[in-house]
Amino acid sequence: MINFSFVARNGEQIIPLDVKLDYLPGNQTQRARRIAVGELLAKLEIENATIDASGNDMATVTTADGTWVIGESYSNQGSRGKL
């Protein structure tokens, strides 16, 4: 399993999104980001949105309530503990 952590932001609102995928060779970040978009729509209970996932490091979801930007979540390395 590979775990991906994303954060969706809309102004001051922040929603953490975690995606777990079975391991496959190659880069799966874009696939995980697209799954995170679906999770965001489910959490917001929104049926219609405009999605731009063409960027390499983020996806943009535009709804009637505003625009959400989904990017990878990075934690402070000091808080992670021993690697």
Side-chain angles (χ1 to χ4, degrees), residues 8 10 13 15 17 37-47 49 61 63 65-68:
N10 178 0
Q13 296 178 318
I15 298 177
L17 303 166
V37 167
E39 287 189 18
L40 174 66
L41 295 176
K43 285 185 178 188
L44 296 175
E45 298 179 355
I46 294 176
E47 294 180 12
V61 179
T63 68
D65 297 328
T67 300
W68 291 84

Side-chain angles (χ1 to χ4, degrees), residues 1-2 20-28 31:
M1 271 294 176
I2 300 174
K20 294 181 181 182
L21 297 175
D22 289 329
Y23 174 77
L24 293 174
N27 187 352
Q28 296 198 34
R31 179 176 171 227

Side-chain angles (χ1 to χ4, degrees), residues 57-71:
D57 59 350
M58 69 177 192
T60 305
V61 179
T62 304
T63 68
D65 297 328
T67 300
W68 291 84
V69 177
I70 299 175

